Each structure stands twice: as C-alpha cells, then as structure tokens.
Amino acid sequence: MPDPGAVGPPPTSGLADHASQRLRGGVLGMADIAAATMANVGPAMSFFFGFAFLATTAGVASPLTIATAGVAVALLGNTLAEFSRAHPSAGSFITFVGRTFGPVSAVTTALLAGLGYIIAMASVIAISGGFVQITLHHYTGVEIPWIVWTLLLTGSSVVLMLRGIVVSTKWAGYFFAVEMLVLVVVSVAALVEHRGGLSADPFLPGHITHGPRGLAAGFPLAVYLFVGWENSAALAEETENPRRNVGRAVFFSVAIMTVSYILFAYATVTGFGYDVQRLGRSPIPFIDVAQHTLGVLAFLAYVGGLTSTLGVLIAGINSQARLIFNAGREGLLPSFFGYVHPTRRTPNNAIVTFAVTALLIIGVWGLGHLLGPGSSRMDPVVFFTESSSLGTILILLVYLASNVALPLYYRRYRPQEFRTVRHLVLPAIGTLAILVPLYYLTKPGQPAPYNWFPYAALAVLLAAVGYATLLVRRDPHLADRVGSVIADAE
C-alpha cells in the first residue's frame, strides 16, 4: 500500500479527468478559512519585524497609517469576494484574471503569482529559523545557525500539510490563537502600565511625519502587514458554500487584523513614550515593550512570535501552493503540479515544490551575500525585508490585474448582476490604493538591493508573457480549461 503522505507522479488520466484531480470538497467551514487567513497574515511575525520601519517612516501617527491600509485591503477584499461569489476556484487570482482577459493572461498571472508568493514565503521560512535562533540565544546564550531551525520547521510543516487540509488548517488556527492571545495581553498590559500618559496623538493626522507624503511613504509598509488576507480564496474548493463563505472570511479577517494592528501599534508607540526615533532603533520594539511591562513573562512574546511563524508557514504554503496546483491541473503550468494524492486529496507535488523552491531561493540569496561586496553571512531579519519586498512587487501586479478585471468580468459575463459601486467604483479605488505602494517599491533612487528589484520584476513579467504566448499558440484549447474546475456552490 502506498505511503499516504508520499509525493506521487503527475496524473495519467489527462486534464479532462477532473474527478481524479479534485481536492477534498466541503471539509472547511467559514471559521476554518478565516482562522487560516489570519494565520497566514501572521500578525506577530509581521508586526515584530515590520513596525519599527513603519513607525520611523510614518511617525507617531503610524496607527492611523495602519487604519488607512486596512481600508485599502478591504477594497481589495471586495474584488476577491465578488469574483469568488461568481466563480469560486482554487486558482483564485489566476482564474479570475484568466476568465476575463484570456489564456495568455492566465498563464502570465500563474507565473507572477507563483513566483511572487514563493519569494515572499522564502522570507517567512528564513525568519522562522531566525526567530528561534534569536530566542534561544537570548535565553540560553546558545548559538545554533538559523538555517538548521529553518530546515527543521519547514520540513515539519510540510509533513503536516501532506497529512491533509483539515488537520493542517486546525494547527494553523491553534498557532494563530496563541499568538493573538499573547499580543493582546502584552498590548493591554502596556496600556495599563502607561495609563497616566495615554495620548490621542497616534490617531491625529497632524502627527504623521511630513503629512500626506509621510502617509504615502509608510502606506506600503502598512499594506505589507496584511499580506495573506487573500488566503481563503485558494481554499474555495475545500470550503463549504464557498460563494458565501470566502467573502465573509475575507472581510472578517481584514476587520479583525485592522483593529488588532491598531491596538498593537498604539501600545508599542505608547510603550516607547511616543519617541519613534528610539522605537526605530529597536530590533523588535514589541518585544522590548513586553520585557519592560511583563518582565520575565516577556518570554510569552517570544512564544507568540514562534507560533506566528509556524502558522504563516502552514497557512501560507497551504493556500499559495494550491494556486500552483490548480495552474498545473488546468495546463497553465506543467501537469506535474496538478497531482492530487488519492487518499489525502492534497496537492503534494505543488506543496513540496513550493517549499523546496523557497529554500533554494534562500540558499542562492545567501550565496550572493557571501560572494558579493562585503562577503558577509546573510542575516535572516535583513533577508526578510529584502525578499518580502521583491515578492510583494510581483503580488501587487496580480492584485492590480484582478481589480482591473472585476468590472470587465461582470459587464461581459454577468451583466444582470453588475452593480456600479461593488463592481466599478470600489475596484477603481482599490486600483489607486495598489498603485501607491507599487510606486514606492519601484521608484528610482533606492539603496541596493532594492534598486534592482523593479528590473527583476519587469524581467519576470516579460518572460511570463513570452512563455504564455508560446504556450497558448501550442495549445489552442487552453482557454477552455481556465477555471474549468470550480468549487461546489451548494
């Protein structure tokens, strides 16, 4: 009897045999995919390593910047919810863009999304080991290379994912619950500790550094805190009543994350006495606030950070590998990725390939540090910022294409359901919201390596369009298969 967790060969029954290539349908409820989505966001991990830079950029009113980003992400959530209501699919953005603009756009989006998510997830994989190294060194003085922990945690997470979507999603939800409990306890304790000096300054526009320009500069950093909000769409095929539940999970998750981030940000700037320069010099400001507030119990904050990285690993790879799987199933990518384990109904090849490719990116990036100017070892915290920035550029292009596609899709295929506000006004505002962080991530004059990221993204885009054009010419029936497998509506 074959090992139920083993990676198998691609299906031999052909692309048309959808039954053998389906994931396990209807096993996840709205609470499951919402928990997985928030675990993918990874509030502790994202906030720990992203807030110092955001605070020094936006100033004391950085919580206001986060609130603005939450509104922008909700606009993107409207696009995802409306597409999922009409055409729920494990292909998510790939299916939505492809059904609107045709097979060339579908293949291009598959490559952009696949590579963008893998590069972004590489940052999470690296920081998972890095955070264990930081924690262990802080409490014991023992120095074990972070790459060792990264390999152990990634391997364990992949094994858990291969066991099935239900068990892995449950574990991601458990890890998320622990990190949220820790974050809320520390934040409330910090506010109580400094109750005599609480101020409304973090919520006043006048306290944003350099006004609207500072808000715009800090906006991409705030938006990045929410990356992972789209997790639930890729789980549509395995979700009960996805036409309704995917949208609900998106909006619920974005709302919870927005309120939570505002609380964490307010507690952090308050804990530093509204001194953002001192806050910016701290490697992990929230940890410093926890140590000052809770003393020895600050260990709980480290536990929250660790469970956060594990939750992101599981939830992120689970959902993002399904985009690659669906693209393989439909012939947009090699059919190897479209394999489904016959017992577990998990996309094993896509999951394993996703994780291995991310590890290879970490290895190549680290080799570049050793052989490049300065010849230094790669710091996982620095790599987290670099890799996530490059991955985010590619992901934002996918977001952008989806927002442009929504009004065209509804006008062309579902004109009787077209609503001006939901299908035109909101995605138009969402498009503008995407252009702001995209500009700041690609604008000239940035320090290395960020200055070559726009050229790398452009090269990926052109290569993806070229590959897509050749593939569609060789396979004229590809258009019929884009989005051909959708989740059950009942």
Side-chain angles (χ1 to χ4, degrees), residues 45-326:
M45 182 202 68
S46 300
F47 191 79
F48 281 9
F49 297 102
F51 185 67
F53 195 18
L54 171 60
T56 54
T57 303
V60 170
S62 48
L64 191 60
T65 307
I66 291 174
T68 305
V71 173
V73 173
L75 292 171
L76 303 181
N78 171 74
T79 296
L80 194 66
E82 290 301 309
F83 265 128
S84 295
R85 184 172 65 84
H87 202 94
S89 168
S92 187
F93 295 118
I94 300 168
T95 297
F96 305 151
V97 174
R99 295 289 290 186
T100 304
F101 297 118
V104 172
S105 69
V107 177
T108 301
T109 305
L111 293 170
L112 289 178
L115 188 57
Y117 280 121
I118 289 174
I119 294 173
M121 186 54 64
S123 69
V124 175
I125 290 174
I127 205 64
S128 66
F131 194 75
V132 174
Q133 181 190 42
I134 291 171
T135 303
L136 192 63
H137 179 74
H138 177 77
Y139 283 100
T140 69
V142 175
E143 192 73 51
I144 298 177
W146 62 269
I147 191 62
V148 174
W149 299 111
T150 287
L151 292 173
L152 286 173
L153 293 175
T154 304
S156 301
S157 298
V158 168
V159 169
L160 187 60
M161 285 180 273
L162 295 181
R163 290 183 58 194
I165 186 63
V166 175
V167 63
S168 57
T169 298
K170 295 291 185 188
W171 273 102
Y174 297 150
F175 288 136
F176 169 72
V178 171
E179 69 173 300
M180 280 297 288
L181 178 62
V182 169
L183 289 167
V184 171
V185 167
V186 172
S187 297
V188 172
L191 293 177
V192 172
E193 175 80 12
H194 297 86
R195 57 188 178 277
L198 295 181
S199 169
D201 289 353
F203 304 104
L204 300 177
H207 289 276
I208 296 177
T209 302
H210 304 305
R213 186 160 58 90
L215 176 65
F219 187 70
L221 307 172
V223 168
Y224 180 74
L225 296 178
F226 291 88
V227 169
W229 63 270
E230 67 275 35
N231 174 288
S232 57
L235 302 178
E237 192 172 327
E238 295 147 298
T239 300
E240 178 186 13
N241 197 351
R243 297 182 191 272
R244 179 189 66 184
N245 285 335
V246 168
R248 289 183 176 183
V250 168
F251 289 122
F252 178 79
S253 302
V254 172
I256 293 295
M257 288 296 93
T258 301
V259 173
S260 300
Y261 278 139
I262 291 173
L263 170 64
F264 308 153
Y266 185 51
T268 304
V269 296
T270 299
F272 275 85
Y274 307 103
D275 185 348
V276 292
Q277 297 305 316
R278 186 164 61 92
L279 188 157
R281 291 192 295 270
S282 169
I284 308 178
F286 193 84
I287 293 289
D288 287 346
V289 170
Q291 290 174 335
H292 176 75
T293 304
L294 301 178
V296 294
L297 293 180
F299 175 73
L300 295 175
Y302 284 94
V303 172
L306 179 58
T307 57
S308 181
T309 58
L310 290 172
V312 177
L313 270 178
I314 296 169
I317 296 178
N318 246 345
S319 67
Q320 293 155 17
R322 277 160 170 75
L323 302 181
I324 297 173
F325 151 75
N326 192 72

Side-chain angles (χ1 to χ4, degrees), residues 429-456:
I429 299 174
T431 298
L432 295 176
I434 295 169
L435 291 175
V436 174
L438 192 58
Y439 166 75
Y440 276 92
L441 286 169
T442 59
K443 69 176 184 178
Q446 300 185 80
Y450 303 95
N451 59 336
W452 61 263
F453 286 175
Y455 301 104

